[in-house]
Amino acid sequence: MAHVGLMGGTFNPVHNGHLIAAQEAMFALKLDKVVFIPNFIPPHKRPYHLLPCRSRLEMLEMAVAGNPLFEVSDIEIQRGGLSYTADTVRALKEAYPENEYSFITGADSVLNFKWMYFEELLEMLNSFVALTRPGFSMDALKEKASLYKGKDKFVFLDIPGTDISSTDIRRRVAEGKPFRYLVPDLVREFIEKNSFYK
């Protein structure tokens, strides 16, 4: 049996904050590995400036190269349609029933999004890991978590010094500002080569 961390999102683009967060979650929860799962179509975000799923998948594969404990899955891309986390976890549990799963996401996703089948999702998971950024209100997060029947599944993990966002990176690229140390070098080269986010 393996305890697997799942990190879903648009990864538009993947950045060093994602990688640091995955590493911190792996250490805190003693995970055996972390699997990054890019959305096909995110249900909570408008697809404005959203790169094609295959480009986002390729950037993720570049980002995790060299770390044998990080993997990338195209399960949501293969399924197509809106990417609901509950559907993904259900499919993984059916395919690999011997594994335990913890889902890792930003605390802003917990506070700002209406998750489909959320209590069912909590029931399937070993834990639901909410990552906080500097300046984030932990009280607001805990209050929102307390509303759910599976509130005992929540793990709150502070990720210090990683206030990096994909939105800011896209803005910096569009404005011609440097973003070299915000993303892995291979990802930066891929973005520049393809003139993404211009």
Side-chain angles (χ1 to χ4, degrees):
M1 181 183 73
H3 187 180
V4 180
L6 306 174
M7 182 176 273
T10 55
F11 301 107
N12 187 42
V14 59
H15 54 68
N16 289 335
H18 293 129
L19 303 177
I20 293 169
Q23 178 179 264
E24 289 293 305
M26 173 172 276
F27 177 78
L29 277 73
K30 297 180 171 56
L31 302 174
D32 295 298
K33 64 180 177 179
V34 173
V35 179
F36 295 79
I37 306 173
N39 303 139
F40 181 68
I41 299 175
H44 305 300
K45 297 182 180 180
R46 291 180 301 163
Y48 186 61
H49 288 315
L50 184 65
L51 293 184
C53 55
R54 291 291 169 188
S55 295
R56 293 181 283 117
L57 181 72
E58 192 170 348
M59 285 192 290
L60 267 172
E61 289 170 343
M62 293 174 182
V64 306
N67 187 336
L69 302 181
F70 286 175
E71 296 179 9
V72 179
S73 169
D74 67 351
I75 184 173
E76 294 188 354
I77 293 172
Q78 292 288 348
R79 187 170 66 234
L82 291 175
S83 298
Y84 293 119
T85 302
D87 293 336
T88 301
V89 174
R90 190 182 306 108
L92 289 170
K93 286 183 74 69
E94 289 173 0
Y96 308 101
E98 70 278 9
N99 290 341
E100 292 182 340
Y101 294 98
S102 290
F103 191 78
I104 306 163
T105 191
D108 53 341
S109 297
V110 180
L111 283 176
N112 301 326
F113 298 159
K114 180 174 173 57
W115 291 62
M116 292 291 288
Y117 320 114
F118 192 62
E119 291 195 340
E120 180 186 351
L121 172 63
L122 290 176
E123 191 174 325
M124 291 187 288
L125 293 171
N126 183 275
S127 59
F128 187 95
V129 186
L131 307 170
T132 63
R133 296 180 179 184
F136 200 88
S137 172
M138 183 67 78
D139 290 339
L141 180 61
K142 289 183 176 179
E143 183 178 347
K144 180 70 178 286
S146 70
L147 301 176
Y148 296 105
K149 186 166 62 176
K151 59 188 176 185
D152 58 311
K153 297 286 186 79
F154 277 86
V155 174
F156 307 107
L157 191 58
D158 184 33
I159 307 296
T162 56
D163 194 13
I164 304 171
S165 76
S166 297
T167 301
D168 182 55
I169 291 168
R170 294 194 302 272
R171 180 184 57 77
R172 293 183 71 85
V173 174
E175 295 174 358
K177 293 181 178 178
F179 64 106
R180 179 171 186 172
Y181 298 108
L182 301 177
V183 300
D185 282 341
L186 289 175
V187 172
R188 175 183 56 81
E189 292 167 7
F190 187 70
I191 290 171
E192 291 175 342
K193 177 183 176 182
N194 292 282
S195 299
F196 289 147
Y197 309 123
K198 295 284 189 180

